[in-house]
Amino acid sequence: QVQLVESGGGLVQAGGSLRLSCAASTRTSSRYNLGWFRQAPGKEREFAAAIHWSGLLTNYADSVKGRFTISRDNAKNTVTLQMNSLKPEDTAVYYCAAGSRTPGPSTYLYDYWGQGTQVTVSS
C-alpha cells in the first residue's frame, strides 16, 4: 500500500503561482505512475496532470496545459505540481494519486489517493 500526503495549498490571487507537493510513504512507489486531480465544490473529480514513473512522459488536461508543470523526484518519493498563471476556475481541492498503469486522465487508473489540499484563487 502507498500512503500519499499533499501539501502546499493555499490562497493566491489570479495570475499568481502555487507549488503543490505530494510525498509517498514507501520507496516502492518510485515505479508508480503519479497524477494530480482536482475537485471543485459541487463538481466531480477531474484530471489535471500525470507523470510516468520514469519522469520522462507527462500528460496534461487542456485546461491547465501551458500553465501547470508536473514533475517527480524518485529519490525523495515526491511528486510536484507547479501551477502558474492561476485562474479563479482553478479553485478546487487538489489530490495526488498513484497507479501501476499508464498515466492518464481516468480515475480508475489510480489505486491510491491522498487526502487533498485546498487551492483557492481569488479574482
Side-chain angles (χ1 to χ4, degrees), residues 55-77:
L56 300 177
L57 302 174
T58 58
N59 188 22
Y60 296 94
D62 289 340
S63 58
V64 308
K65 192 173 184 178
R67 300 186 299 120
F68 291 9
T69 302
I70 188 171
S71 61
R72 66 187 297 168
D73 185 341
N74 288 342
K76 297 182 178 180
N77 289 335

Side-chain angles (χ1 to χ4, degrees), residues 48-121:
I51 187 167
H52 188 259
W53 63 264
S54 69
L56 300 177
L57 302 174
T58 58
N59 188 22
Y60 296 94
D62 289 340
S63 58
V64 308
K65 192 173 184 178
R67 300 186 299 120
F68 291 9
T69 302
I70 188 171
S71 61
R72 66 187 297 168
D73 185 341
N74 288 342
K76 297 182 178 180
N77 289 335
T78 59
V79 59
T80 297
L81 186 68
Q82 178 66 48
M83 305 184 295
N84 299 324
S85 302
L86 283 164
K87 305 175 181 179
E89 306 93 273
D90 296 318
T91 296
V93 176
Y94 283 70
Y95 300 87
C96 64
S100 59
R101 296 182 178 271
T102 184
S106 299
T107 57
Y108 72 83
L109 296 174
Y110 302 89
D111 302 308
Y112 307 101
W113 296 83
Q115 82 288 348
T117 185
Q118 177 70 47
V119 172
T120 302
V121 184

